[in-house]
Amino acid sequence: MLAGRARARELGRVRSTRGHLDLGRDSYIDGVDAPAVSTVIEDVVAPLARGELGHDARLNTTALLIKGNKIGDVGASKLAESIEHFQHLLALDVSGNCLDDAGLLAIGTALAPLSAFEELSAGHNPGAVFPMLQALVKSCRSVQRLAIDYSKIGCDPAVFAQLIRDLQVESLRLTGIRRFTDGPAIERLALGTPFLRELHAPGFLTRRSEE
């Protein structure tokens, strides 16, 4: 157990007071080499999920921040197996992890049963986010904050807008998404989504005051 904790300190920054496990890297921006999948998921996240780093550590984990580690779909599948053990998880950041459709779908499916979950960052991945969001919708989940910058949506903008309505998204980041580069499409999304309070899109930022 002590070895596992030392490994966690070596690979990431555990903010125990806030329950954040931060293993994030900016490799998808600055090109820094990321650690192997086994290092990030198998050596830290999976042992934490199994309670090997302490039962309280697992229960108190409210955020997993794994951006920029290039875990790929194999890593996403391993991560999905661990997610179900974090019953109090509020936020997950898997941006910049080379996730394709299958990897994103695995993440969405794993998050679906978590009743407290509210914030997902999954941008800077090559896969389409549509299957992931659809998995969340099918489970009647809501996601307060969603960031999918520089991603593919994988469906018609109108279908995507309906998913955002169904998920009751309050804050949405769409920077770098080609389907939303024109003003009218963004305006329709902003005006047709009643829960949406904040929208970041190409050349567009809106904040809707509380009613």
Side-chain angles (χ1 to χ4, degrees):
M1 185 180 297
L2 291 177
R5 286 173 178 167
R7 190 64 171 154
R9 286 195 296 271
E10 176 187 346
L11 297 171
R13 302 172 299 283
V14 181
R15 307 171 193 169
S16 58
T17 55
R18 296 181 58 194
H20 288 196
L21 176 63
D22 188 349
L23 295 164
R25 300 166 68 93
D26 287 331
S27 58
Y28 64 95
I29 296 176
D30 58 25
V32 175
D33 289 337
V37 171
S38 60
T39 299
V40 177
I41 305 300
E42 294 179 358
D43 289 358
V44 180
V45 177
L48 178 63
R50 293 192 295 264
E52 295 175 11
L53 303 186
H55 182 65
D56 289 343
R58 179 181 63 188
L59 289 179
N60 293 334
T61 298
T62 58
L64 293 175
L65 312 177
I66 314 175
K67 71 173 184 177
N69 279 286
K70 302 178 181 178
I71 63 174
D73 286 355
V74 173
S77 178
K78 294 178 181 296
L79 175 60
E81 294 174 2
S82 297
I83 284 176
E84 66 179 28
H85 298 288
F86 297 103
Q87 294 300 312
H88 301 290
L89 193 67
L90 300 176
L92 176 68
D93 187 347
V94 291
S95 53
N97 271 295
C98 302
L99 304 183
D100 217 325
D101 295 16
L104 290 169
L105 175 58
I107 296 298
T109 302
L111 290 173
L114 302 183
S115 59
F117 189 77
E118 58 186 32
E119 181 173 355
L120 175 60
S121 298
H124 296 267
N125 285 303
V129 300
F130 172 67
M132 175 183 69
L133 299 180
Q134 195 173 41
L136 291 169
V137 167
K138 286 181 178 179
S139 66
C140 300
R141 288 290 305 117
S142 63
V143 178
Q144 292 182 17
R145 292 177 292 280
L146 177 65
I148 50 173
D149 304 286
Y150 297 95
S151 300
K152 295 185 298 184
I153 60 173
C155 62
D156 183 82
V159 175
F160 174 77
Q162 184 60 53
L163 287 174
I164 297 302
R165 286 192 289 271
D166 291 342
L167 288 171
Q168 301 180 17
V169 175
E170 297 178 13
S171 176
L172 177 63
R173 298 190 64 91
L174 292 173
T175 305
I177 295 184
R178 296 178 182 177
R179 291 288 190 96
F180 290 94
T181 55
D182 63 286
I186 298 171
E187 290 285 356
R188 286 194 295 272
L189 176 62
L191 295 175
T193 311
F195 293 96
L196 195 61
R197 301 293 177 185
E198 185 171 289
L199 172 62
H200 298 257
F204 190 87
L205 170 62
T206 183
R207 289 188 176 90
R208 186 182 303 169
S209 61
E210 297 288 344
E211 297 294 319

